[in-house]
Amino acid sequence: SQGVVDYKLQVFNRWGELLFETTEITKGWDGYYRGRLSKQDVYVWKAYARFVTGEEKRMSGDLTLLK
């Protein structure tokens, strides 16, 4: 988190619906959407970070939510 001046993390379900979004680098998704625990499934995440150096990184992947 050192040197990060801009940040965004997003989590989507398999239909592309945005379930979670944050701009706080220390905050992660807890598996809940609208107050309910999401079902066991595969979800897609996308992250963006811009550093004090001006460098930008865009990352993405998937995660499996297990209950």
Side-chain angles (χ1 to χ4, degrees):
S1 65
Q2 287 186 330
V4 175
V5 294
D6 194 15
Y7 173 81
K8 182 169 22 176
L9 172 66
Q10 299 173 306
V11 177
F12 302 87
N13 65 17
R14 64 175 63 234
W15 298 280
E17 183 180 11
L18 180 64
L19 304 182
F20 174 79
E21 182 173 52
T22 185
T23 56
E24 295 178 46
I25 200 163
T26 59
K27 186 176 178 188
W29 184 46
D30 61 5
Y32 281 80
Y33 176 61
R34 293 185 177 166
R36 298 181 64 188
L37 184 60
S38 299
K39 68 178 185 167
Q40 185 168 307
D41 206 348
V42 176
Y43 297 85
V44 174
W45 60 269
K46 293 182 180 181
Y48 164 81
R50 184 166 47 88
F51 301 87
V52 291
T53 61
E55 179 187 5
E56 294 184 356
K57 282 198 174 187
R58 295 179 191 278
M59 299 152 279
S60 63
D62 57 59
L63 63 93
T64 302
L65 181 65
L66 300 174
K67 293 185 183 181

